[in-house]
Amino acid sequence: MTGRQSIVLNGDLGSGKSTVSIELAKRLGLRRVSVGDLYREMAQQRQMTALQLNLHAELDQAVDGYVDQLQQDIADSGEQLIVDSRLAWHFFKDALKIHMITEPTEAARRVLARPSGPAESYTSIEEARAKLHERSESERNRFLVRYGVDKAKLRNYDLICDTTKASADEVVEHVIAAYQGSFGREILRDSPPLLLLDPTRIYPTQEIQGLRGLWESDFVAEIGQAGEEALEPLRIGYTGEKFFVVDGHRRLSAALRNGFKLVPGQLVAECDEQVVGGLSAIEYFRSEVGLSVIYDWDAAHGTQLPLPEHILERTDAVLAGEPGNQP
């Protein structure tokens, strides 16, 4: 990336984009613009919650029209900025576009812990999680209808960053390294997005027996000494909800053994895109990620990967006594 570009960040509430964008602005000496702050002010002026304003905007195009024109004017100004906005990536053509993600319960916990305002208020983690999901889906549907773009599609962005366990400072360090060209240069140039993922949330697609002898070798120590940014990017698939390894189980295992908060990855396929053998990312995940694969991986690494829906469906079928279904 070049020093002339702006950095635009999006992500749902609780993903940490405000905290990271503020620190980036300080570190890089750039002006920060927050469209989210503007949106909350608009909600408060109308005596609405942010979710209510989102739902209202699905019917009243004037709400989005005002915000859109503001973002377009900012993008056209040519000023180098840090922009915190859920749709700036659509308006800024020459910018480092960052999409921040977080495990939903962790996002809800963060939102619940911070001071609430008239536009946003929750009484429990369960309520916060449900409302955040509803708000995100409202925005996604509105953007699909109004702009023909899907904010959930990873290929809209240059950098995907999972902030579930990484601190804001760790995220900022990686973002600046990517921005200045010292980290992930080839992926950012040739095949974005560059992924920065929480290794404890990545699913394996091979049996743990394939890693025999790894932990007794020098490989794990060598990975630890080199650090996160020196790790060769994993080849990653994405179902639309879950990330999984296509190639790089040894490196992922070593990263977990060393307690890495983030690991780099290259997106091979997402959702309906083909991985191998004519299988889409969703089909490959369902085919290769089984109950024993997850349990054995968790036991070896001390992780707790949630069982995906296709395994829960099979398990429920077995418990119900349906023939031909095994987890």
Side-chain angles (χ1 to χ4, degrees):
M1 311 313 287
T2 71
R4 295 189 300 274
Q5 291 179 312
S6 292
I7 299 177
V8 299
L9 303 94
N10 91 329
D12 291 330
L13 284 174
S15 64
K17 67 183 187 313
S18 296
T19 303
V20 168
S21 64
I22 290 170
E23 188 59 29
L24 281 172
K26 290 179 183 176
R27 293 275 301 271
L28 296 173
L30 300 176
R31 185 165 72 94
R32 174 181 176 268
V33 175
S34 172
V35 175
D37 290 347
L38 170 66
Y39 209 78
R40 281 183 282 274
E41 289 175 12
M42 292 173 65
Q44 188 172 349
Q45 289 168 2
R46 290 168 169 77
Q47 295 185 322
M48 294 178 174
T49 66
L51 174 57
Q52 288 170 336
L53 183 58
N54 266 355
L55 297 174
H56 175 69
E58 293 180 11
L59 304 174
D60 183 0
Q61 294 192 16
V63 175
D64 280 336
Y66 174 74
V67 176
D68 291 350
Q69 188 58 55
L70 174 65
Q71 293 189 90
Q72 189 64 66
D73 291 344
I74 293 171
D76 291 343
S77 72
E79 181 182 358
Q80 190 180 4
L81 299 164
I82 305 295
V83 183
D84 174 350
S85 163
R86 288 184 179 84
L87 199 56
W89 58 268
H90 179 59
F91 293 98
F92 280 74
K93 305 306 179 187
D94 183 29
L96 177 64
K97 302 175 183 181
I98 302 172
H99 179 55
M100 301 182 66
I101 59 175
T102 306
E103 192 278 321
T105 299
E106 172 61 17
R109 185 194 64 76
R110 293 175 184 175
V111 170
L112 195 63
R114 70 191 187 192
S116 62
E120 293 166 345
S121 180
Y122 312 100
T123 59
S124 68
I125 288 181
E126 292 74 18
E127 181 192 10
R129 177 169 172 153
K131 292 293 186 182
L132 293 181
H133 177 72
E134 185 179 358
R135 176 172 171 179
S136 179
E137 285 303 298
S138 171
E139 286 182 343
R140 184 183 183 187
N141 292 334
R142 196 167 84 247
F143 294 169
L144 280 167
V145 171
R146 200 149 292 174
Y147 311 103
V149 297
D150 187 352
K151 72 168 191 170
K153 186 175 181 180
L154 301 187
R155 295 202 189 277
N156 288 320
Y157 310 102
D158 298 305
L159 176 61
I160 312 298
C161 190
D162 189 336
T163 68
T164 302
K165 290 187 174 66
S167 69
D169 285 341
E170 288 172 315
V171 173
V172 167
E173 289 291 340
H174 285 300
V175 169
I176 290 177
Y179 182 63
Q180 294 178 339
S182 61
F183 174 55
R185 181 197 296 266
E186 291 184 2
I187 294 177
L188 288 168
R189 182 191 64 214
D190 300 331
S191 56
L194 171 66
L195 308 176
L196 275 172
L197 303 178
D198 177 349
T200 68
R201 298 216 298 143
I202 302 174
Y203 286 78
T205 57
Q206 72 174 38
E207 297 288 349
I208 199 72
Q209 286 82 358
L211 299 178
R212 273 187 193 151
L214 172 68
W215 304 311
E216 290 75 30
S217 70
D218 294 332
F219 183 74
V220 173
E222 290 169 357
I223 291 292
Q225 291 170 2
E228 295 173 352
E229 290 187 6
L231 188 69
E232 180 185 345
L234 312 176
R235 288 173 57 79
I236 297 290
Y238 180 58
T239 68
E241 294 182 349
K242 311 292 187 186
F243 291 96
F244 60 90
V245 187
V246 177
D247 177 63
H249 286 83
R250 287 169 55 85
R251 299 191 297 281
L252 176 59
S253 180
L256 286 166
R257 290 271 169 159
N258 280 290
F260 287 4
K261 301 290 183 62
L262 292 168
V263 291
Q266 179 178 10
L267 183 65
V268 175
E270 65 176 312
C271 299
D272 294 330
E273 296 175 358
Q274 289 190 8
V275 181
V276 293
L279 294 178
S280 71
I282 294 172
E283 292 167 338
Y284 187 86
F285 182 76
R286 293 176 65 92
S287 170
E288 301 300 320
V289 180
L291 189 61
S292 64
V293 170
I294 293 176
Y295 279 171
D296 291 346
W297 184 268
D298 282 346
H301 299 96
T303 52
Q304 291 183 308
L305 289 164
L307 294 181
E309 186 175 341
H310 71 274
I311 292 179
L312 294 174
E313 289 172 351
R314 293 174 193 168
T315 303
D316 289 344
V318 170
L319 292 175
E322 295 180 13
N325 289 288
Q326 296 296 325

